[in-house]
Amino acid sequence: MHSLRRLWLALAAVITAGFLILGFMGREVYRQAPPIPERVVTPAGEVLLTKDDILDGQLVYQSIGGQQVGSVWGHGAYQAPDWSADWLHREAEALLALWSQREHGASFAALPEEAQAALTARLKRAMRGNGYDPATGTLTISEDRARAVAETAAHYRGLFGDEPGLTALRESYALHTGAVPDEGRRDKLTAFFFWTSWACAAERPGTGASYTNNWPHEPLIGNVPTTANVIWSVVSVVLLLAGIGALVWYHAFRRGEEPDPAAPARDPLSGWTLTPSMRAVGKYCVVVVALLVLQVGLGALTAHYTVEGHEFFGVPLADYLPYAVTRTWHVQLGVFWIATAFLAAGLFLAPAVGGREPRGQRLGVNVLFGALVLVVFGSLAGEWLSVKQRFALETSFWFGHQGYEYVDLGRAYQIALFGGLVLWLVLMLRALWPALARRDLGRHIVLLFTGSTVAIGLFYGVGLFYGAKTHLSVMEYWRWWVVHLWVEGFMEVFATAAIAFLFTRFGLVRADSAARAALLSTSIFLVSGIPGTFHHLYFSGTPVSAMAVGASFSALEVVPLVLVGVEAYGTWKMQHRTGWMQAYAWPIKFFVAVAFWNFVGAGLFGFLINPPLALYYMQGLNTTPVHAHAALFGVYGLLSLGLVLVMLRRLRPDAVWNEARLRFAFWGMNGGLGLMIVLSLLPIGLAQAWASVEHGLWYARSADFLQQPVLEGLRWMRMVGDTLFIAGVAAFVAFVAGIFTRRPAVAVAAPPAGGGEPEAVPAALASRAQVG
């Protein structure tokens, strides 16, 4: 008991210290965000654009899909350019061309090296010079630079309009024609792009580095990694090695734990009485599978757009479903079906944990289900209308598209979803309350389960802390609270507690041992995970201190993932301890696969891009979706499907499990994900990283680079993994359909070794002779 008390105190200290760091650094983000000038003028006093133009342009960017249409400051989609890096390079080239023609009568490329060097040095001074007067809020740029800005803006006005000469480029970007049909909106969009690129080049006063810590890599203006970038990268690697060493030391020298209890002769979960609310959760499982199918289909279409641009094997689907829409839906549906699985698991387990069914619980479960369906399909429709430019700008943010990856849904639907999560929290707490009142060893796991439930229910609300015209740096700060802390943080804690509860109820793990392991894992995860949020914000207009905190703590995120692998091995061994555990063999296989992808996808591929120096060159390249696919589906997706299988086992205890289908589904999804990464995403990402280091990020994201035959061939190669993955999903759908349509079957096993009556065996065991 004393060790558990110490672990609770350690967890409280970790959470308190972590959020103090997060809060203090948030204050610095607000205080040191790149200024948005009240006006941009020439030395003669001509006003080129205003703050309202920039912020209205931000709204335009959001309305067309925002981070689903290229990226800004490295965050967003990967087919179109990063607009801040692309603008920066185009403006620099325009300025060099202006000077070389005026002063030498030749193009810049035709000049001798000495003349090129002189003009490049002048360009660096012009672009990196700040020019912002905080007293008046005025940004002054030279007449020559104003002409370069106007030339660059003209390119984007044509690109986002319907200029015929840019049709091929739009196809390379998978950008539909007339993405911004209104000329006034296009003007404002260029104002926003100009400001984001200005922040990438202008030096933050007193630092010698730009507001984005010299990101992106742009040799023309001297944007190269800072000293701090290199130093904190080295520190992160040292801390990683130290953390893994400490974990090895801990496992090598800790005292032996108490032996596991003897396995029960019967499945303890077979004694659960299915309450009305638990039965009502069954439709959540069906919706999880349906949304998974829809997400995978949209993912295949989105991936195909990277090859054909506007068409799907010659069919011009982009006229109706542009890339910005399909990618938005693909990303959002992934979050929706995974979150639905977690909500369903909580609602299913809560009455079992609490030991009773609260009055009206079934009604609450059904009301929540209806609300979730409304939010899902209402938000999808709003996003389509927004991308098709059917809303006014302010209306678009509320009922259409917020423009920010993973929190794309309109603000009204976001508020409705938060309301649904609060309802879920209420339903969970009222069902868990009897267990919280009990004073036994199992109470510690219940407390952890309850705490993570509260965090999931409330933490999504931080996504409401920014508005349509909130500063981009501030918005990114709060967005990553949702993406990193809500999805990657407290959902992980919830899953840890849920699995610990299940295995204690199985009787395979002692309650105190499970509580110690869960508390230790949670503390180790959150000590790095909470302040590690800043590894997403190195180059988002944040001060260098954000880089120091993010690099130091995010390096340690790999350490708990190693611990998860050790625990997964122990879980794998448990399935052989007693015959009835074979009924849960497939859920356990899914949980073990989660541990594998946790280490490979979240750990190795995550650390590949986490150090500041690595991310400096690779932010916004295809190395990011390598990590995203392996971590989001490999970890949270497979975990969700494993939880669905546990629920289906209890909801349909006598159903025949077609293990052949489930086996193919398991290996199809895991093998398809691996092939998708190895054959396509990772090679493309590494090729882009090489181009980014050698030439600059603008080139790594350019059509000239990405449309090379070799890279186009690698994108086609993704079909191999995608096809196997889709086949695995189809097999999983067929398996779930069989659960609800095949006749139940019950076999009688041999008497237990200790004598007594024969045990009824779940049909999955009896059906081994019939299927698979």
Side-chain angles (χ1 to χ4, degrees):
M1 291 298 292
H2 290 293
S3 63
L4 286 172
R5 187 177 297 113
R6 287 196 296 269
L7 285 171
W8 276 112
L9 290 173
L11 178 58
V14 164
I15 293 174
T16 302
F19 279 105
L20 283 174
I21 294 172
L22 205 60
F24 174 78
M25 293 306 304
R27 172 181 172 272
E28 293 302 295
V29 170
Y30 273 84
R31 193 172 66 86
Q32 299 192 46
I36 302 177
E38 293 293 334
R39 64 197 64 81
V40 178
V41 302
T42 64
E46 179 188 359
V47 177
L48 303 176
L49 52 95
T50 66
K51 182 176 184 178
D52 286 339
D53 293 331
I54 294 169
L55 293 178
D56 285 343
Q58 181 173 307
L59 274 178
V60 175
Y61 180 61
Q62 293 163 358
S63 73
I64 63 173
Q67 291 177 339
Q68 307 295 352
V69 185
S71 58
V72 167
W73 292 351
H75 294 300
Y78 315 102
Q79 184 64 13
D82 180 273
W83 305 114
S84 43
D86 191 64
W87 179 293
L88 184 62
H89 187 76
R90 289 180 183 277
E91 183 186 332
E93 285 193 325
L95 200 50
L96 287 174
L98 173 66
W99 289 337
S100 60
Q101 285 291 343
R102 185 174 63 199
E103 298 172 16
H104 300 279
S107 67
F108 178 77
L111 297 181
E113 290 185 5
E114 294 80 2
Q116 286 186 348
L119 291 182
T120 301
R122 190 198 305 180
L123 175 72
K124 180 178 177 180
R125 290 192 299 271
M127 299 289 284
R128 295 186 65 85
N130 193 299
Y132 174 72
D133 182 0
T136 63
T138 299
L139 170 62
T140 303
I141 63 174
S142 68
E143 299 284 356
D144 286 346
R145 189 172 180 185
R147 289 178 61 184
V149 167
E151 181 179 328
T152 307
H155 166 77
Y156 286 105
R157 280 195 292 271
L159 182 68
F160 285 88
D162 57 2
E163 184 175 318
L166 296 173
T167 299
L169 190 58
R170 278 192 292 270
E171 183 175 345
S172 297
Y173 293 165
L175 178 67
H176 57 287
T177 302
V180 185
D182 183 81
E183 186 176 352
R185 290 189 179 188
R186 293 201 298 272
D187 288 340
K188 294 180 185 299
L189 180 63
T190 62
F192 175 65
F193 286 167
F194 163 76
W195 174 77
T196 63
S197 72
W198 171 80
C200 292
E203 291 188 357
R204 186 188 295 272
T207 66
S210 74
Y211 287 104
T212 57
N213 290 311
N214 278 3
W215 186 93
H217 180 220
E218 178 50 83
L220 278 179
I221 67 164
N223 258 16
V224 295
T226 63
T227 301
N229 188 304
V230 176
I231 295 298
W232 288 112
S233 297
V234 173
V235 169
S236 71
V237 174
V238 172
L239 288 173
L240 170 65
L241 296 176
I244 293 178
L247 184 63
V248 171
W249 182 88
Y250 169 78
H251 275 278
F253 295 102
R254 67 177 179 174
R255 290 178 295 178
E257 297 179 350
E258 297 178 0
D260 291 326
R266 300 171 184 268
D267 178 1
L269 301 193
S270 64
W272 281 7
T273 300
L274 288 178
T275 67
S277 71
M278 293 170 73
R279 293 184 185 278
V281 170
K283 56 181 166 289
Y284 284 75
C285 297
V286 175
V287 167
V288 166
V289 176
L291 294 181
L292 167 63
V293 171
L294 187 56
Q295 189 222 359
V296 169
L298 287 163
L301 177 57
T302 303
H304 194 83
Y305 280 155
T306 67
V307 178
E308 288 200 75
H310 297 154
E311 299 179 342
F312 183 75
F313 294 105
V315 179
L317 283 183
D319 293 343
Y320 311 99
L321 290 176
Y323 175 93
V325 171
T326 61
R327 191 178 189 275
T328 297
W329 287 357
H330 174 66
V331 171
Q332 185 171 301
L333 284 169
V335 175
F336 277 154
W337 74 259
I338 290 170
T340 300
F342 274 72
L343 299 185
L347 293 171
F348 184 82
L349 290 175
V353 175
R356 69 175 180 83
E357 170 92 335
R359 180 177 299 177
Q361 186 80 352
R362 180 175 179 273
L363 175 62
V365 170
N366 288 332
V367 169
L368 177 60
F369 179 80
L372 290 176
V373 170
L374 176 64
V375 167
V376 169
F377 292 102
S379 64
L380 297 182
E383 286 154 354
W384 183 87
L385 290 168
S386 179
V387 172
K388 299 296 280 185
Q389 296 289 280
R390 305 294 173 81
F391 287 131
L393 289 180
E394 290 75 10
T395 305
S396 177
F397 181 83
W398 279 92
F399 296 99
H401 206 308
Q402 288 193 44
Y404 298 131
E405 205 173 18
Y406 296 103
V407 284
D408 306 270
L409 69 171
R411 175 54 56 88
Y413 294 106
Q414 188 181 21
I415 293 172
L417 180 56
F418 178 61
L421 289 171
V422 171
L423 173 58
W424 175 76
L425 176 59
V426 171
L427 294 172
M428 291 289 293
L429 291 179
R430 64 202 298 266
L432 291 170
W433 187 255
L436 292 171
R438 292 195 292 266
R439 298 284 178 175
D440 55 21
L441 289 175
R443 182 170 179 265
H444 293 278
I445 294 177
V446 176
L447 283 171
L448 188 61
F449 187 66
T450 304
S452 60
T453 298
V454 172
I456 289 174
L458 298 181
F459 250 79
Y460 185 76
V462 300
L464 305 176
F465 287 1
Y466 60 85
K469 293 187 176 183
T470 297
H471 193 290
L472 189 61
S473 298
V474 173
M475 181 285 305
E476 286 286 8
Y477 171 72
W478 290 116
R479 182 173 76 92
W480 286 109
W481 273 58
V482 176
V483 180
H484 184 86
L485 287 177
W486 187 65
V487 177
E488 299 181 31
F490 291 109
M491 280 192 177
E492 181 103 9
V493 178
F494 178 88
T496 299
I499 293 173
F501 167 77
L502 284 173
F503 277 90
T504 56
R505 289 304 170 98
F506 281 151
L508 300 177
V509 181
R510 297 180 187 277
D512 54 344
S513 298
R516 279 196 295 270
L519 287 168
L520 179 63
S521 298
T522 299
S523 295
I524 294 176
F525 181 79
L526 293 182
V527 75
S528 57
I530 295 176
T533 303
F534 280 98
H535 80 258
H536 300 284
L537 298 169
Y538 295 153
F539 312 117
S540 297
T542 54
V544 70
S545 53
M547 183 184 297
V549 171
S552 299
F553 285 96
S554 67
L556 298 174
E557 289 182 6
V558 181
V559 176
L561 303 181
V562 176
L563 184 62
V564 167
V566 174
E567 293 174 353
Y569 175 69
T571 301
W572 175 260
K573 293 191 298 182
M574 287 179 185
Q575 68 174 311
H576 304 293
R577 291 183 58 194
T578 181
W580 59 262
M581 271 297 290
Q582 290 304 306
Y584 300 95
W586 280 108
I588 290 174
K589 285 183 174 72
F590 274 80
F591 296 151
V592 172
V594 167
F596 170 80
W597 288 110
N598 222 340
F599 178 68
V600 174
L604 295 182
F605 290 145
F607 191 74
L608 171 68
I609 59 175
N610 266 6
L613 187 58
L615 197 60
Y616 177 83
Y617 291 109
M618 289 192 282
Q619 178 157 294
L621 306 184
N622 274 269
T623 45
T624 303
V626 167
H627 166 60
H629 282 79
L632 188 60
F633 181 82
V635 178
Y636 292 100
L638 291 176
L639 176 59
S640 298
L641 297 180
L643 292 173
V644 166
L645 290 176
V646 171
M647 289 186 282
L648 290 178
R649 171 59 76 194
R650 299 316 323 150
L651 286 168
R652 304 278 293 181
D654 297 326
V656 175
W657 277 40
N658 189 320
E659 295 202 10
R661 292 175 182 172
L662 195 51
R663 182 179 299 109
F664 185 85
F666 177 82
W667 291 111
M669 287 187 286
N670 281 281
L673 178 60
L675 290 174
M676 181 195 312
I677 291 170
V678 172
L679 296 180
S680 183
L681 290 177
L682 185 58
I684 293 172
L686 294 178
Q688 284 184 296
W690 187 285
S692 177
V693 173
E694 188 166 354
H695 299 289
L697 186 119
W698 69 273
Y699 180 66
R701 290 283 297 271
S702 69
D704 288 342
F705 181 76
L706 287 174
Q707 299 307 315
Q708 294 179 84
V710 172
L711 292 178
E712 188 167 310
L714 286 173
R715 288 199 295 278
W716 276 109
M717 285 294 292
R718 180 170 169 172
M719 286 187 64
V720 177
D722 283 0
T723 302
L724 180 58
F725 186 89
I726 291 170
V729 171
F732 192 86
V733 172
F735 166 79
V736 172
I739 289 289
F740 290 97
T741 58
R742 299 191 69 173
R743 289 192 172 193
V746 177
V748 178
E757 294 296 321
E759 177 187 356
V761 179
L765 300 184
S767 64
R768 284 178 181 269
Q770 304 172 34
V771 294

